[in-house]
Amino acid sequence: MRNTNGPTTRLKGNYAEPIDGSEILNTLTPAEHEFISCIKLLGVDELIFSLKMIHNLALYHTELVIDQEEKNALFNLKVLWEELQKL
């Protein structure tokens, strides 16, 4: 959660305690840091475009039968690009 000054906060008991953004980054594993760097390198907008394209090609431009497993995978793609758009 962000307050008007910009730093993030966390709930501790019944009140919000400000935390430093670097504290959040320090909790990431090296693999998570690498993943985030890769996303930044590719560009979030380009990644969102690619995810949408794959979703739409699979859903609207194929004659294959899409079972529940495939529907779940396509939904996961949609959730991923929607969350990336929030960045």
Side-chain angles (χ1 to χ4, degrees):
M1 157 185 349
R2 290 216 173 250
N3 64 24
T4 55
N5 296 330
T8 354
T9 61
R10 72 172 154 219
L11 291 177
K12 187 171 185 178
N14 292 329
Y15 63 93
E17 172 186 280
I19 58 171
D20 186 1
S22 61
E23 184 179 331
I24 295 170
L25 292 177
N26 290 338
T27 62
L28 298 177
T29 66
E32 290 168 335
H33 275 286
E34 186 176 338
F35 178 70
I36 291 171
S37 296
C38 182
I39 288 174
K40 288 181 179 179
L41 178 67
L42 291 173
V44 174
D45 292 334
E46 289 82 4
L47 185 56
I48 291 168
F49 176 80
S50 298
L51 291 170
K52 284 181 178 181
M53 182 185 294
I54 291 168
H55 173 273
N56 292 340
L57 285 171
L59 191 58
Y60 304 118
H61 301 286
T62 184
E63 295 182 15
L64 298 174
V65 176
I66 298 177
D67 294 327
Q68 190 60 46
E69 186 176 4
E70 289 87 5
K71 287 179 185 177
N72 290 342
L74 291 172
F75 177 75
N76 290 339
L77 282 177
K78 185 175 186 292
V79 169
L80 182 57
W81 91 59
E82 287 174 346
E83 292 301 315
L84 285 170
Q85 285 177 326
K86 293 178 184 178
L87 297 176

